[in-house]
Every structure is written in structure tokens, then in C-alpha cells.
Amino acid sequence: MLIGAHALVFSGTFGEQGLRRAVEGTKRAGFDLIEIPLMDVDAFDSELAARMLRDNDLSVTASLGLTESTDLTSEDPAVVAAGERILEQCLDHVAAMGGEVLCGVIYSAMRKYASPTTARGVENSQGAIARLADKAAQRGIRLSLEVVNRYESNVFNTGRGALAYLDGVDRDDVSVHLDTYHMNIEESDLFQPVHDVAAAGKLGYVHIGESHRGYLGTGSVDFGTFFRALHDVRYDGPIVFESFSSAVVSAELSNTLGIWRNLWQDSDDLAAHANRFIRDGLHAVGTIDLH
Ligand code: MN
């Protein structure tokens, strides 16, 4: 099981300097893995990232939230094609870095929609994800679709909703990416969705975020229950800490996610605490086997 940190804990930009800060900070905090958001695919230097990852002995995943102009749920075939193109570029970046996962909101735009999905839009998305899954498999990469709350996508907002969407994708290797921040808003509890998704063989990626996206343990997310559920289903995929503050700003992502206030100042302290919090929580629930 790899425990990771989202790169935005350390830097809002991913040129050489920002990338170095994020990779070295993630390593220093004690994590095994860094998740890099590919918000600017054209500018991203995956060869440089690969060298830094090797030097710091870190595993890597990448994530993305699509935009209105690359929305796979669009009814305009040109917009869907633009989304597929950008996601294929992302796959190339992940492959160049030696990663095995592309996750996030890669099935629709990541934004507040003003109306529900349309049947044709969802079919467009499912078709595109199926084609992309084949391209990912050729590169040894798997896709994991992040379940986000109603203000960030209209396609699905719960684990069961994601499973229903995947019924229309028909690819065994596309999985569900659960995030405690979003689950805390939308799910009935933090236990059942883990079981539902895992029972379908689809739990592929996990984000650990607090209810306000700040320090773990200072909000209302029931991490004890969530860690128990992960242990119960013997989840052994990536578990990645995600936190945002106006102290570290990516203009695009911060605005999309509504990061308006300062929940922390010190990335290093936040990250080291999160690394301990997650490992301690998982260690404790592991002893339940002895009860
Ligand atoms: Mn997330």
C-alpha cells in the first residue's frame, strides 16, 4: 500500500522549481508517492519529473479535472474529441514518469453544472472513457474516476452512482476513486460506500481529505470509520492526502475548488502530520484482526 501526497500541498505551479519543491517536500514528509495534477499538459516536462522522482525514490500518479472546452459529457463531438486528446497527452506524461494511474474528474468537466446530464452526454463520456482505457492499458496505466460532490460534477456524486456509470463503460480495468472530503458531503456514511465499491471489484484509488480540506483530524470527517472500511475490504491501492489552502495557490485549481481561505501556512508541517495521521490510523485498524 502506497501512502502519498497531492503535489498542491507544496506548490501551485509545476515548472522546474515548483516540481522540485513538491517532490522533495513529499519525500521529506515521509510519503511513498506523489500525485501530480496535470493542469497544463503542454508545458509539463515529464522527463524532468521522472528524473526528480528517481532521485527521490518516489512513486507517482497523475490527476486531472477537465474543463468546459474538454468536457467528455458535451453533446458537441469536437469538445469530446478535445477532451480525449488532452487525456491521451496525460497518459503519455504518466507513462514517461513511470506511473500506473491516471485519476480525478476525467469523465466530465470539474465545475458546478447549471443543469443535469443528458443521456447523450453520458454516453459520449462512457464511450470516450472506454477508448481511453484501451490506450491506457497499452501504456500499463489504469484509469480511476473520482467521485466528487454535486458542485464539482453532475455525472455521479456517490460510489454507487459511479458503479452505475461504469456499467456503461464495459472495461474491467476502469476503477472508482473515492475521496473522504466528497463522501462526507454526499454519502450516507464513510463505511458502506467502501464496501459497495470494493464488492464490485472497483475500488482503485483513495483521497484522504478533511471536511474543510485542512489539517486531518480538525474537521468533521469520520476517519476512524473510513480506515476500518479500508481494512475490512483489504484495500491495498494508493491512499493520497489532499489539502488546499490559499497559502499555496494554483490559480486554476484553487478557483475551481473554491479555495478562498488560509487553513494552514506550513506545507512541511501539514504534510508530515498527514503522513503520520494516515499511517497511524491504518496501523491501528490493522490490529482489529486480533480482537
Ligand atoms: Mn480528491
Side-chain angles (χ1 to χ4, degrees), residues 78-99:
V79 173
V80 177
E84 286 192 63
R85 271 198 305 278
I86 209 165
L87 289 166
E88 198 171 348
Q89 278 181 275
C90 290
L91 290 176
D92 287 335
H93 283 314
V94 176
M97 293 191 290

Side-chain angles (χ1 to χ4, degrees), residues 38 40-42 44 46 62-66 70 72 79-97 99 101-103 105-107 127-143:
L38 296 174
D40 188 354
V41 285
D42 290 326
F44 188 71
S46 40
S63 58
L64 185 73
L66 293 173
T70 55
L72 296 189
V79 173
V80 177
E84 286 192 63
R85 271 198 305 278
I86 209 165
L87 289 166
E88 198 171 348
Q89 278 181 275
C90 290
L91 290 176
D92 287 335
H93 283 314
V94 176
M97 293 191 290
V101 178
L102 179 66
C103 58
V105 186
I106 56 179
Y107 51 88
I129 288 294
R131 289 187 292 277
L132 198 76
D134 293 338
K135 290 172 180 165
Q138 289 161 10
R139 295 162 172 86
I141 298 168
R142 56 189 180 79
L143 306 178

Side-chain angles (χ1 to χ4, degrees), residues 230-241:
L230 290 182
H231 176 66
D232 242 22
V233 302
R234 298 299 192 258
Y235 176 73
D236 67 355
I239 299 179
V240 175
F241 170 57

Side-chain angles (χ1 to χ4, degrees), residues 53-121:
L53 291 162
R54 267 197 306 276
D55 290 347
N56 287 275
D57 191 27
L58 276 184
S59 296
V60 68
T61 59
S63 58
L64 185 73
L66 293 173
T67 64
E68 215 167 339
S69 61
T70 55
D71 184 350
L72 296 189
T73 66
S74 172
E75 297 200 353
D76 179 349
V79 173
V80 177
E84 286 192 63
R85 271 198 305 278
I86 209 165
L87 289 166
E88 198 171 348
Q89 278 181 275
C90 290
L91 290 176
D92 287 335
H93 283 314
V94 176
M97 293 191 290
E100 294 170 4
V101 178
L102 179 66
C103 58
V105 186
I106 56 179
Y107 51 88
S108 80
M110 185 167 70
R111 68 181 183 96
K112 166 76 168 70
Y113 282 83
S115 56
T117 54
T118 63
R120 203 169 118 215

Side-chain angles (χ1 to χ4, degrees), residues 6 35 104 146-148 177-182 207-208 213 240 242 244:
H6 193 285
E35 177 184 320
E146 183 168 14
V147 183
V148 294
H177 164 181
L178 290 179
D179 178 323
T180 56
Y181 164 80
H182 299 290
H207 270 170
I208 298 287
R213 294 197 184 268
V240 175
E242 195 173 40
F244 305 101

